[in-house]
Amino acid sequence: MHKTVAVLAFSGQGIQTGEKIAVTVEASGSRAEKRAPARLAPEGWESFSTLAEEMEKLILHADAFVFVGASGIAVRAIAPYVKSKLSDPAVVVVDECGQFVIPLLSGHAGGANELARRLGEALSAIPVITTATDINDVFSVDTFARQEHLAIVEKDEIKHLSGALLEGKPIGALTPECGFVISGKPVGQPFSHTLHLVPQDLVLGVGCRSGVSGDELYRFVSDTFDEQGWSLYRIRAVASIDAKKEEAGLIALSDRLGVTFLTYSATRLAARPGDFQTSGFVQQTVGVDNVCERSALCAAVCEGWLPPESRFEDFCLLPKRAERGMTLAVLALHKFF
């Protein structure tokens, strides 16, 4: 599921179709942000002067884009931000009349194909899927990894597995040539082409002083994980208090780890149950007695990864650790680790 889907329309008819898209997006549990040119934007839609300027804002937090209009508009708008098939946002184009739904970018890892199918069903439109594994009804390892919250380590190996499957060859335990391994620990190279998938079963709760750099935070996290013998690929999200939602260092840390940055209000953090390492200074400064431990638990519960009644101590893998104005706690998304 996408966290935030930007819906951009460029005509009156497109806005009508965009409204239907936004309803479908929000019905699935995602947030829809509707955008249209200033001369067209109706009530309930945010307006923009130029698409390029709006994309600069949206690319920072939207993980999926639906362009209602010509595919050329979408291509030119997203082009400056295209980096990798495993990190690009999902990009889908819908014609303004809602007849065709075309996933343009990140069909598997970003979930564009899945989003296109869902929108196609809602609009009674035709999803135009072009990825080879989909049109041949063949298992897609990157789609599987996304659905199961598995981090992909050797990204270049995907083509070997997909190629073998498309040629009708076996993968996994049935052949020594290529396969994938799901493990949070090093397991070597059992295949000539081995793709390691790491369960993303950890949530980081992080607090920091203002101005701390992303490099400092990354070293703090990396050194801690090295000390514990954990893989950074196991991290599913970084969480903190919403007073830090614009903190450049935390945003840079999340980007470097390739995970979502989640923030919550002091009120929501304070409502989480558990035994926390409290601080009167932190309480006075941000309105809650602990940031890192509470935010890790809040993220796990609010995102639906743990039950609402979960207590911090039942899932704590690493309690609060402090260093040079930074605090870190690690929560596991299961009780047995």
Side-chain angles (χ1 to χ4, degrees):
M1 180 190 301
H2 298 101
K3 188 173 180 64
T4 301
V5 179
V7 181
L8 300 107
F10 308 94
S11 67
Q13 179 64 57
I15 287 171
Q16 293 181 37
T17 300
E19 285 286 3
K20 298 175 184 177
I21 291 169
V23 169
T24 301
V25 165
E26 296 195 331
S28 69
S30 300
R31 171 183 170 82
E33 295 194 6
K34 299 178 290 186
R35 302 287 194 274
R39 60 186 176 80
L40 294 172
E43 185 178 352
W45 285 64
E46 292 192 36
S47 64
F48 59 82
S49 298
T50 69
L51 180 56
E53 291 178 352
E54 194 64 22
M55 286 298 295
E56 286 183 7
K57 302 173 186 176
L58 290 170
I59 201 70
L60 297 176
H61 65 276
D63 53 347
F65 291 82
V66 180
F67 291 86
V68 188
S71 58
I73 295 175
V75 171
R76 286 188 289 271
I78 200 67
Y81 308 103
V82 176
K83 296 178 180 178
S84 163
K85 64 179 289 184
L86 295 177
S87 61
D88 293 334
V91 178
V92 174
V93 173
V94 181
D95 67 282
E96 65 176 34
C97 294
Q99 299 180 81
F100 299 97
V101 185
I102 310 167
L104 281 187
L105 190 66
S106 204
H108 289 160
N113 288 358
E114 177 187 349
L115 178 58
R117 290 190 182 96
R118 191 162 66 245
L119 294 180
E121 182 177 351
L123 297 171
S124 296
I126 299 172
V128 183
I129 311 294
T130 59
T131 43
T133 50
D134 290 87
I135 62 175
N136 287 283
D137 196 24
V138 169
F139 171 76
S140 165
V141 69
D142 35 352
T143 299
F144 170 73
R146 170 185 167 79
Q147 292 171 342
E148 300 300 324
H149 296 289
L150 300 169
I152 299 173
V153 180
E154 300 89 358
K155 298 173 176 58
D156 288 342
E157 294 293 347
I158 294 175
K159 62 187 178 186
H160 293 290
L161 271 71
S162 296
L165 287 165
L166 288 168
E167 292 174 16
K169 297 178 179 178
I171 67 167
L174 301 179
T175 172
E177 294 182 8
C178 59
F180 63 89
V181 177
I182 303 174
S183 176
K185 299 178 180 179
V187 291
Q189 297 287 127
F191 311 102
S192 298
H193 292 288
T194 301
L195 176 67
H196 292 86
L197 303 177
V198 179
Q200 294 181 298
D201 60 346
L202 305 181
V203 178
L204 299 189
V206 183
C208 68
R209 56 177 164 76
S210 296
V212 67
S213 72
D215 286 341
E216 289 178 279
L217 284 162
Y218 182 81
R219 283 195 298 271
F220 182 32
V221 172
S222 181
D223 289 348
T224 299
F225 271 57
D226 285 344
E227 178 187 311
Q228 300 294 327
W230 303 332
S231 168
L232 291 173
Y233 286 105
R234 293 179 65 185
I235 300 171
R236 186 179 298 188
V238 172
S240 192
I241 191 167
D242 62 2
K244 294 291 182 180
K245 64 183 178 182
E246 304 294 337
E247 188 70 45
L250 289 171
I251 295 171
L253 171 66
S254 304
D255 288 344
R256 188 165 179 180
L257 292 172
V259 300
T260 304
F261 178 41
L262 304 169
T263 60
Y264 304 93
S265 68
T267 301
R268 293 185 76 178
L269 296 184
R272 302 314 326 157
D275 293 329
F276 302 99
Q277 296 185 42
T278 60
S279 165
F281 173 77
V282 174
Q283 174 75 54
Q284 185 176 7
T285 304
V286 297
V288 65
D289 58 15
N290 178 292
V291 170
C292 62
E293 294 178 341
R294 287 186 179 276
S295 59
L297 178 61
C298 197
V301 171
C302 292
E303 295 302 309
W305 301 329
L306 287 179
E309 67 277 6
S310 298
R311 295 179 60 83
F312 176 74
E313 58 270 23
D314 292 335
F315 297 90
C316 173
L317 191 56
L318 183 75
K320 176 182 175 181
R321 172 174 289 194
E323 181 180 306
R324 303 190 309 277
M326 301 174 287
T327 60
L328 168 68
V330 182
L331 195 77
L333 299 176
H334 44 77
K335 284 193 177 184
F336 305 102
F337 33 76

